[in-house]
Structures are given as structure tokens and as C-alpha cells.
Amino acid sequence: MKIAILSRNPRLYSTRRLVEAAQSRGHEVVVLDVLRCYMNVTANKPEVHYNGKEITGVDAVIPRIGASVTFYGTAVLRQFEMMGTFPLNESVAISRSRDKLRSLQLMSRKGVDMPVTGFAHKPGDTKDLLKMVGGTPVVIKLLEGTQGIGVVLAETPKAAESVVEAFMGLKANILIQEFIKEAGGADIRCFVVGDRVVAAMKRQGAEGEFRSNLHRGGSATLTKLTAKERATAIKAAKTMGLNVAGVDLLRSARGPVVMEVNSSPGLEGIETATSLDIASMQIEFIEKHLERTVNRSSLTKTRGKG
């Protein structure tokens, strides 16, 4: 089987691990910088080219598309889909999960619990907006922020109004969410592959830091999930349409609430914390899917002859 990995940097831990896992299982792997791919968009024979050559014979593609290149990255992925290549995560599912507001609205419609959230661009009444989400303290986020950047904890109404005014000055869309104090600056990253949670870790923010991102000095440890947490993570991933997802939960007094669903979850933190070979689990998922597809195709042909 030939697998293409869309990644801007082949030296990244997650990319290296996926290459190692695929090669150890006997597959051919090619790593493509998604921004250097270019396409022939045609009804007859859609093509992807790279470094002057057409990319052919790819059975599956693993998208490791960073948030900053979502538009072009998903366009390249769609092109592979048009060529009949199996995507580990579909382009439309990635686009859903990257749009924070859309993802929250979809989860809301499916009954997935999340922090009470307000959305605004230029609120006419900031006090009413704060009241709508239960009052301070609140977490205020830039809609386009990643890895904890553009996320502020406002503990008083005055502080919240000042932050909202500052973000409004940037002409930015903002999310205002209730602060889950009982989470204690920690969240749970659930790694979903297919229809099960294959690993989970607790991420604890650094001293005095309410954000638990590992990029911001947080630490990760193995954790055990409840049945409800497991079901919530799987439902959130399914709602986005993702085969592989990192679902971030907070443990609130009313049960697990979903903060975010990540379509390109990193492997380093969770493989280190759990000592599990999650890269190989993703390759195995691809193998099983393609095997089922081949078997269905063979069965259809056999029935057609009969």
C-alpha cells in the first residue's frame, strides 16, 4: 500500500512516527509539503503534482494540516479524494472542526455538552453578553486562535469589558465561555481512532496558568476515563465526521464538557504519557478500511457475474 502524508515538516515528531509505523508494516510512504503540491482540476483526470512530477498510485492520504494552511491544505486533500484516494480524515470534516463556531453549533445540535458560549463581533451590550453566559469569571477567545494564543481569563466584569473592547479594536470575532473553575486548570485529551478512544491523558497547566496546553508549559499524565467521558469524546468526533481526533474535555460539576475537537492531534505528548503506539493504530485503521473496500468491491463483482 502507498500512503501519502501531507505535512509541512517531515522532521516533526508526529510525521516521523507515522512514517515509521507505516514502513514497519510494509507500506510505501511519501511525505508531501502541502503548500508545494499543485493541482490539475479537471473532470476527466484530476491530478496532484509535486516537484515537477505527478503523484500516482496513492491508496491513502494522512492529512497533517496546520491551522494556518487550512484553506489550501483541504483543497489539496479534496483533490486526492477526487482521485479516489482514501483520506484518514476527510477535507469537509477538517473544515468543520477548524471553524470553532461551526463546530460548537454542530455539537450543540447533537446534544454534546460544552461550556455555555456566547459569540460576538461587535456586541451592542457587553454586560448582557456576559450575563448570557452566566457572568464572570469568563474565558474570552479569539475565534482564530490556536494552542492557547488569543485566550484570556477575565475574572471581573470590568476586566471582561476591557478585553472585549480590545478585541473589538482588532475587528476580531470572539467567543465568550463560562469558566469551569472545578477543572483546576486541567483538561483531558482523548485520542479517538474510528469508533473508540484509544488513549487519554490529563494535561495540567503550569503554576498559576489556567490554560493546559503543553506548548505553554503544561504537563501530561496518563488518566482513566469514565464511561460518560469516553462516550462524549466519541460522539464529538463523530459529530465532526472525523476518523481520527483529539477531543479536549473539561471535568465539570455537571459532567464532561467538550472544549475543542482537533483534526490533527499531535502524537508526542500522548504517546509519551501513555507509552502506546498510537501511530500504528492509525495505520491499522487505514488497512482495515481499505481491506473492507476491496472485499465489498470483489463481492459486488461476483454478484454481478451471477
Side-chain angles (χ1 to χ4, degrees), residues 41 43 45 83 128 153 162 169 179 205 208 211:
V41 183
K45 188 177 179 292
M83 294 159 55
D128 185 51
L153 173 62
S162 296
F179 177 58
R211 294 168 293 186

Side-chain angles (χ1 to χ4, degrees), residues 42-64:
T42 173
N44 298 320
K45 188 177 179 292
E47 298 173 352
V48 174
H49 287 239
Y50 190 81
N51 284 347
K53 296 180 180 179
E54 182 184 355
I55 302 297
T56 59
V58 176
D59 300 292
V61 58
I62 301 175
R64 299 289 309 172

